[in-house]
Amino acid sequence: MPESDITLPLFPLPHCVLLPGALLPVHVFERRYRLMTQQVLEQLPGGRRIATALLVEGHESLAETSQAPIHPVVCVSQIVEHAALPDGRYNLILAGLWRARVIDEDQRGPFRMARVRRMVPSVQGFNRRAVEVLTDIQQVLADAIDCGVLERRLIYWITDKSSFCEQFVDLLAYHVLPQDEPELKQAVLEEGDIQQRAAILTDRIRQMVEDRRGIVEDGEPPAAWPPAGRDN
């Protein structure tokens, strides 16, 4: 086994993608995943890692089985907060750590296990590529803020996060891309190149800007931002 490969519990999720650096609240109620959570929590605090995966759309009928197909790139996450409920269920907060590709699975146990291989970041630190990516994003964010798609405080966040280009792009994609477009977030997760990842993000934000401008030009009041249940 290559040194970069590790074996982790696999937690398939429908319609939900976790990205590195982001936080995801999860309610665990299925028996197999309650057992998975119990075993993971028994590890040392420095561990407690699982791999979250997006179920392939159109296979919802298999969601409760071990055969439900998943996308091959997952987010390795860590349980950073947990609450055990009296009936055995759990409320968790998962923190996304890094991208990984599923090499193979073991489906013989009560829950799925996966051998995963970490994807190496394409930008580490603040360099020329980071400057190019952040310059493009800053312009599209300025347009989005001017027409009310995003809040102005995001434009200042760039200054604080510019030395963490990979994390910034992932966090922005996680919070800004629509929740009902998990396949788009999965595309961001699977893209290993930071510039291509940023292009997916900025193209969708530009489309959101044009959609908002069209609403304003038609004389309709723009929808409130962020949408209900969201805090960007």
Side-chain angles (χ1 to χ4, degrees), residues 5-232:
D5 290 4
I6 60 173
T7 299
L8 295 172
L10 187 63
F11 192 20
L13 297 171
H15 318 300
C16 183
V17 176
L18 179 60
L19 292 172
L23 298 176
L24 176 67
V26 176
H27 178 63
V28 179
F29 59 92
E30 286 189 55
R31 182 178 180 278
R32 55 180 170 165
Y33 295 127
R34 283 186 281 170
L35 177 61
M36 177 195 75
T37 301
Q38 179 183 355
Q39 292 187 12
V40 171
L41 289 174
E42 289 173 354
Q43 299 174 11
L44 295 174
R48 297 184 175 181
R49 295 182 178 182
I50 61 177
T52 61
L54 177 66
L55 289 170
V56 175
E57 188 176 1
H59 295 81
E60 287 77 11
S61 62
L62 298 174
E64 296 184 4
T65 74
S66 295
Q67 289 73 45
I70 60 169
H71 288 268
V73 175
V74 299
C75 183
V76 173
S77 64
Q78 185 172 39
I79 299 175
V80 292
E81 295 286 348
H82 72 278
L85 304 180
D87 61 359
R89 294 174 295 140
Y90 290 90
N91 288 327
L92 308 177
I93 300 293
L94 302 179
L97 300 178
W98 33 269
R99 292 167 168 78
R101 187 174 299 277
V102 175
I103 305 303
D104 54 45
E105 279 191 52
D106 182 353
Q107 301 178 352
R108 295 171 296 178
F111 50 84
R112 298 161 74 169
M113 299 289 294
R115 180 165 64 95
V116 301
R117 183 169 301 163
R118 183 170 184 171
M119 296 171 62
V120 179
S122 59
V123 167
Q124 302 183 48
F126 193 65
N127 56 31
R128 170 177 270 180
R129 294 191 74 203
V131 172
E132 293 172 352
V133 168
L134 291 168
T135 299
D136 291 343
I137 291 179
Q138 187 170 17
Q139 182 57 56
V140 75
L141 284 183
D143 292 340
I145 289 169
D146 286 344
C147 72
V149 170
L150 299 178
E151 295 181 2
R152 183 164 297 279
R153 61 193 174 101
L154 276 175
I155 207 72
Y156 302 110
W157 197 39
I158 295 176
T159 304
D160 297 331
K161 299 293 182 180
S162 59
S163 60
F164 305 97
C165 186
E166 292 267 350
Q167 295 94 323
F168 175 75
V169 173
D170 285 337
L171 279 172
L172 191 61
Y174 182 76
H175 289 289
V176 172
L177 294 180
Q179 285 185 322
D180 59 355
E181 298 180 10
E183 299 287 337
L184 191 59
K185 289 186 179 180
Q186 181 66 29
V188 172
L189 181 65
E190 293 185 4
E191 180 53 64
D193 183 83
I194 182 63
Q195 289 178 310
Q196 293 301 317
R197 197 183 309 156
I200 296 171
L201 172 63
T202 53
D203 286 349
R204 185 64 182 94
I205 294 177
R206 287 191 180 98
Q207 183 180 352
M208 293 163 66
V209 169
E210 292 305 313
D211 291 345
R212 174 61 67 93
R213 284 175 175 160
I215 291 174
V216 173
E217 290 172 0
D218 290 339
E220 299 180 20
W225 187 271
R230 295 281 295 277
D231 181 9
N232 290 324

